[in-house]
Amino acid sequence: MTVRVRFAPSPTGMFHVGGARSALQNWIYAKQQGGVFVLRIEDTDVARNKPEWTEGILSALDWIGISRGSYEGPYFQSANAGEHRAAAARLYESGRAYYCDCTREDVQARTGSQYQGYDGYHRDLGLGPGPGHALRFRTPDEGATVVVDLIRGEPTFENKLIEDFVIARGDGSPVFLLANVVDDMTMGITHVIRAEEHLPNTPKQQLLWEALGVKPPIWAHVPVVVNEKRQKLSKRRDKVALEAYRDEGYLAGAMRNYLMLLGWAPSGDREIVPWSVIEDEFRLEEVNLSSAFFDEKKLRAFNGEYIRALPVAEFIDACQPWLAGTGTIAPPPWQPEEFDADAFAAVAPLAQTRIAVLSEIVPNVDFLFLASPLMDEAAWTKTMKDGSADLLDAAIAAFDALESWDAESLKSTLEAVGADRGLKLGKTQAPVRVAVTGRTIGLPLFESLEVLGRERTLTRMRAARVRLV
């Protein structure tokens, strides 16, 4: 038997990081088993679907390494509508489903509670199809439905506790439960790997598989992804869009690595590992049962490690979209003609050790490419205290007299200026840094001044001195 897994997102918004994790888990499992990964777009929610969301799914999958052409599909659920309706008809004709015209209010009136499920009122009344007649599945009265789950063992659900659930609406359109089952059958899906939030629907879906005469797939319900308050990640509340992390400058490798650690860990006391190790070691049966905490701070730290591990040339290439402002990324504050590739290459190794996401490259190097620095006024107020004017005067004179404009000479010169005033280097260099870069933190100062050059450095220091008058 060829293993066939599927990833079936809905094109109703940005691509959720939890969905990305499910896609990766399905992808790896299929590769390990010599099987097939199927992409199905569940696009039947016409009111919320947009073509750009579908393209967003494909592009996000490309980014995390599930490239177009390497999987089967994408298929579209809407193209299978005829099969959905045919399956509903077969279930009705075989007696496994019946029609019901009860409204929600009718059910509540009979049960006396809005919390109790449907009571099977129309099971034996013989109501036929018609406008407003929903089709309900006839759940077995006795026995239990056992779900074979690679992660959770064999969850067992008593059939008497499963209400006769709707499989087609009053207008004849099948609901998600039935459409999902029929699609999986049509595509020959053998394993369904998805988040545990779908587990309550699984016995219903398994009953549908059995009623349609097809062996159910093997299930694997991975832990739900939660935020720091242990709440399920929400698009309304949390930062969950994979595209947002991509556009902020997270590396695909770091994101893949981190997502795979949500509920699972490689062997040994390690977390940052080559993708080949994850592909080799990942086992569905080793996935934890408890909820997986999506820790953005930890992801950020991961990304910083991945950035620092890049060869410098690759780091320079990776920064280009932010330096050029291409695509959906915001443009930098300088004009294209002001950018100096050689100057950036000179400071790139310094920047590489200090940023955690690629978008941070712009505020770290913008002082190199602007006629004057973007001044952080809070930094100016905090730094330019009594004595700053005198210190800048002395530093300007000392720098202007330097024969060699290099980082070591600049450092020793400024150290001497500070020593004459009883100041350590940290206190001495703060006004110089703000005058030249506009900020209190950034790349190593003296290496930055070396690249900026004598003339531009002294011009900025003199401008700051004038402002202090």
Side-chain angles (χ1 to χ4, degrees):
M1 175 188 71
T2 299
V3 167
R4 291 175 61 84
V5 302
R6 50 77 165 173
F7 177 58
S10 298
T12 56
M14 303 295 275
F15 193 44
H16 197 290
V17 291
R21 181 194 62 163
S22 292
L24 287 170
Q25 290 170 332
N26 276 278
W27 174 257
I28 290 177
Y29 188 76
K31 289 188 71 175
Q32 288 176 339
Q33 304 298 319
V36 178
F37 176 95
V38 178
L39 176 62
R40 181 173 75 233
I41 305 297
E42 299 197 331
D43 62 337
T44 51
D45 188 347
V46 178
R48 297 175 62 206
N49 293 342
K50 294 182 180 180
E52 56 265 35
W53 296 135
T54 297
E55 177 55 34
I57 291 168
L58 300 179
S59 133
L61 289 174
D62 276 341
W63 182 65
I64 59 171
I66 303 177
S67 58
R68 302 178 213 211
S70 65
Y71 50 78
E72 191 176 299
Y75 297 110
F76 291 86
Q77 189 172 66
S78 57
N80 212 22
E83 289 293 329
H84 304 157
R85 290 179 178 271
R90 290 199 304 274
L91 289 170
Y92 173 66
E93 291 164 1
S94 67
R96 298 304 303 271
Y98 61 92
Y99 283 98
C100 166
D101 64 358
C102 291
T103 64
R104 187 184 302 274
E105 291 72 24
D106 292 336
V107 174
Q108 291 179 6
R110 283 200 306 275
T111 62
S113 170
Q114 61 178 315
Y115 302 108
Q116 292 185 20
Y118 178 69
D119 59 358
Y121 179 78
H122 278 88
R123 263 193 165 211
D124 302 310
L125 295 185
L127 185 68
H133 296 185
L135 187 63
R136 289 183 177 272
F137 182 76
R138 191 186 299 271
T139 303
D141 295 318
E142 300 178 348
T145 298
V146 179
V147 173
V148 178
D149 193 298
L150 291 177
I151 296 171
R152 299 172 188 278
E154 295 186 354
T156 301
F157 302 84
E158 292 186 61
N159 291 332
K160 65 181 180 181
L161 300 179
I162 304 174
E163 68 174 358
D164 290 354
F165 51 93
V166 173
I167 58 175
R169 304 176 184 88
D171 61 2
S173 61
V175 303
F176 168 79
L177 278 175
L178 180 61
N180 189 266
V181 166
V182 172
D183 290 342
D184 284 346
M185 288 180 181
T186 303
M187 297 174 186
I189 301 304
T190 62
H191 294 69
V192 173
I193 304 166
R194 59 187 184 181
E196 66 175 314
E197 63 197 73
H198 298 288
L199 184 59
N201 285 330
T202 304
K204 298 177 182 179
Q205 291 178 312
Q206 182 155 311
L207 286 169
L208 287 172
W209 278 81
E210 293 167 349
L212 289 167
V214 182
K215 182 181 178 181
I218 295 173
W219 310 91
H221 289 90
V222 299
V224 69
V225 182
V226 298
N227 62 19
E228 60 185 4
K229 295 181 180 179
R230 313 309 292 180
Q231 301 166 321
K232 179 187 170 185
L233 284 185
S234 164
K235 290 183 179 180
R236 295 185 182 90
R237 181 184 58 239
D238 304 303
K239 182 180 174 182
V240 300
L242 190 71
E243 298 94 325
Y245 288 100
R246 178 193 63 196
D247 294 346
E248 191 176 339
Y250 284 81
L251 298 179
M255 180 61 78
R256 280 198 307 264
N257 189 162
Y258 183 70
L259 288 176
M260 288 303 297
L261 296 182
L262 297 178
W264 174 82
S267 62
D269 186 18
R270 55 183 180 162
E271 292 184 311
I272 297 178
V273 295
W275 183 244
S276 59
V277 171
I278 293 176
E279 286 188 318
D280 182 59
E281 294 191 1
F282 176 71
R283 297 291 182 272
L284 272 174
E285 58 270 19
E286 294 176 0
V287 172
N288 298 326
L289 296 179
S290 56
S291 299
F293 171 35
F294 187 88
D295 186 345
E296 190 177 343
K297 292 180 180 177
K298 186 173 182 178
L299 170 60
R300 181 181 169 84
F302 259 60
N303 202 66
E305 292 291 332
Y306 269 80
I307 286 176
R308 288 186 283 279
L310 290 173
V312 174
E314 289 186 22
F315 172 72
I316 291 173
D317 287 343
C319 290
Q320 293 310 308
W322 287 268
L323 298 173
T326 57
T328 60
I329 299 168
W334 56 81
Q335 296 301 312
E337 62 272 14
E338 295 177 294
F339 180 73
D340 184 335
D342 291 336
F344 178 68
V347 300
L350 307 174
Q352 186 174 4
T353 66
R354 284 163 172 77
I355 67 173
V357 293
L358 293 175
S359 59
E360 292 175 346
I361 194 62
V362 171
N364 271 277
V365 302
D366 58 6
F367 72 95
L368 285 172
F369 312 121
L370 297 170
S372 58
L374 295 173
M375 186 59 64
D376 179 344
E377 294 300 329
W380 176 275
T381 302
K382 178 181 178 181
T383 304
M384 298 303 189
K385 303 292 186 180
D386 292 342
S388 293
D390 171 66
L391 194 153
L392 283 176
D393 282 336
I396 291 168
F399 283 175
D400 196 24
L402 277 175
E403 293 185 7
S404 177
W405 189 266
D406 60 79
E408 189 58 40
S409 298
L410 289 162
K411 179 181 179 183
S412 60
T413 298
L414 196 58
E415 279 181 323
V417 169
D420 288 343
R421 288 156 180 77
L423 298 174
K424 293 183 178 180
L425 183 59
K427 291 287 187 181
T428 309
Q429 71 177 6
V432 176
R433 179 183 290 279
V434 171
V436 174
T437 72
R439 297 180 176 87
T440 55
I441 58 174
L443 305 185
L445 177 62
F446 303 107
E447 288 81 353
S448 297
L449 300 185
E450 179 180 340
V451 175
L452 187 65
R454 184 192 301 265
E455 182 179 348
R456 296 175 73 195
T457 297
L458 293 175
T459 297
R460 294 181 185 193
M461 291 175 68
R462 288 174 178 134
R465 178 63 184 85
V466 169
R467 182 175 173 180
L468 283 172
V469 171

